Amino acid sequence: MHGPIVGRESIFLAESLEREEVLRLDRRTLSIVWRVTLGEGFWPMDVQEDKHLLVKYVRGPVEMGVVDVETGAFRWRVGVAAPPITAQGKVLCGRGGHLEVRQMSSGDVIDSVPLWAEDAGPGAVQGSLVLCANPRRSAACIDLVRRRVVWQRDLAVQIGQRYGYEHPVT
């Protein structure tokens, strides 16, 4: 599954999928700074500048949010088509048939590029190119600068589900 997320000063982890708590540990002392109830199935994904912790829901409908590192409270949260990824301090997610680029701190949508499928989402980023996939055996490369699909292909294998939706390229 997913391991702990290590920041400059903190370590973040979920006790288990059955528990609803996410913990922040002090990296030097390993003492618990806070323990918050986010809801069953939330899992830490990434931390940015030791200020914002990206979490995703790993059971049932996919949901993501950003937690304030100081307080453990949600700053924002939203339903998405697939697990999000982070790149250059931004959150990329598939939502409503679009690839959205969101500000990590506020959740504001900075950019939105149409995708070929409602259930597609990002898997990897290289420069301005984003590799996206959906569970119905297709993938595409999106150019965020040119705001278009560079290529789209049907895959020979079906993308499976394990502990919620998982992309083949993450």
Side-chain angles (χ1 to χ4, degrees):
M1 181 54 105
H2 303 279
I5 301 299
V6 180
R8 285 190 303 259
E9 299 174 11
S10 304
I11 299 171
F12 303 91
L13 57 102
E15 285 196 88
S16 72
L17 285 178
E18 290 74 33
R19 301 282 305 259
E20 299 181 352
E21 297 176 326
V22 173
L23 287 79
R24 173 185 172 202
L25 307 176
D26 181 283
R27 190 169 166 180
R28 291 179 310 254
T29 66
L30 297 181
S31 61
I32 296 174
V33 177
W34 50 249
R35 174 180 283 171
V36 296
T37 301
L38 298 181
E40 182 179 331
F42 274 99
W43 205 268
M45 288 186 64
D46 193 10
V47 65
Q48 296 288 319
E49 301 170 7
D50 269 4
K51 293 182 183 177
H52 313 292
L53 175 67
L54 178 68
V55 295
K56 73 173 180 176
Y57 185 73
V58 294
R59 289 188 172 180
V62 180
E63 187 177 348
M64 70 167 186
V66 168
V67 173
D68 183 288
V69 166
E70 289 302 314
T71 66
F74 270 110
R75 295 180 65 88
W76 59 272
R77 64 196 280 185
V78 66
V80 293
I85 61 173
T86 57
Q88 301 170 0
K90 309 288 187 275
V91 180
L92 283 71
C93 63
R95 187 165 192 266
H98 287 79
L99 174 64
E100 292 183 346
V101 180
R102 291 177 172 261
Q103 192 70 34
M104 178 77 99
S105 59
S106 65
D108 293 342
V109 177
I110 300 167
D111 200 0
S112 179
V113 178
L115 293 173
W116 75 101
E118 287 284 321
D119 58 352
V125 177
Q126 178 65 46
S128 68
L129 301 177
V130 182
L131 181 61
C132 295
N134 76 342
R136 292 178 306 191
R137 303 182 190 187
S138 59
C141 180
I142 311 296
D143 187 326
L144 287 177
V145 172
R146 293 186 177 93
R147 301 178 48 76
R148 67 179 182 90
V149 175
V150 176
W151 57 259
Q152 178 186 344
R153 303 281 185 274
D154 289 331
L155 304 174
V157 296
Q158 184 166 352
I159 300 166
Q161 289 189 310
R162 189 184 75 179
Y163 303 109
Y165 185 97
E166 295 289 340
H167 283 286
V169 292
T170 56

